[in-house]
Amino acid sequence: MKLDDARTIQALTHCSDQYEHALAENDVTALDVLFWQGPQTVRYGVGENLYGAAEIAAFRRNRTGGSPPRTMLRRTITPIGTDAGVVSLEFRRIGSTRTGRQMQTWINTPNGWKILAAHVSIMAEQPETERPTL
């Protein structure tokens, strides 16, 4: 199993970029397409635990204004062979000093790459002296 397949990294980078664009634009249709459409899909958010594509889609449609705007700080893409991979991302919401974290497990399906599992969290506020330099 290769953990550094260049074509898989390129594909997952493109998918992650699509996700970030859809999130920023609150394009719920595009976000739905990026998730595996099955009951196995899980998304743990900052304040919600969602099980299955239907719950995830309903959450997005009921979220007023979409996700708060954010800036990507760091992204690591780790292929697991050529049919799966993990995208780990650090971000900061505009106007906040707290660091957010997002991890997505992607699978390569006959219909393209899809998110099977996602987890989003926001770190506790760090004292000024402990904040990493960006």
Side-chain angles (χ1 to χ4, degrees), residues 13-39:
T13 299
H14 176 72
C15 291
S16 178
D17 288 344
Q18 284 183 306
Y19 178 87
E20 290 301 310
H21 179 75
L23 189 66
E25 297 296 318
N26 197 29
D27 185 343
V28 294
T29 302
L31 290 166
D32 288 348
V33 168
L34 292 170
F35 277 82
W36 174 253
Q37 294 300 303

Side-chain angles (χ1 to χ4, degrees), residues 67-123:
S67 182
R70 66 191 199 177
T71 301
M72 185 187 316
L73 303 176
R74 182 176 180 169
R75 177 171 60 185
T76 301
I77 297 177
T78 307
I80 305 168
T82 57
D83 291 322
V86 177
V87 176
S88 306
L89 186 127
E90 286 183 48
F91 63 89
R92 181 153 304 132
R93 289 180 173 169
I94 304 301
S96 176
T97 58
R98 297 171 64 190
T99 299
R101 299 171 294 187
Q102 172 182 289
M103 293 191 79
Q104 298 170 328
T105 302
W106 292 76
I107 55 172
N108 194 1
T109 76
N111 296 320
W113 286 91
K114 305 293 178 186
I115 300 166
L116 182 63
H119 190 159
V120 182
S121 62
I122 305 289
M123 295 177 68

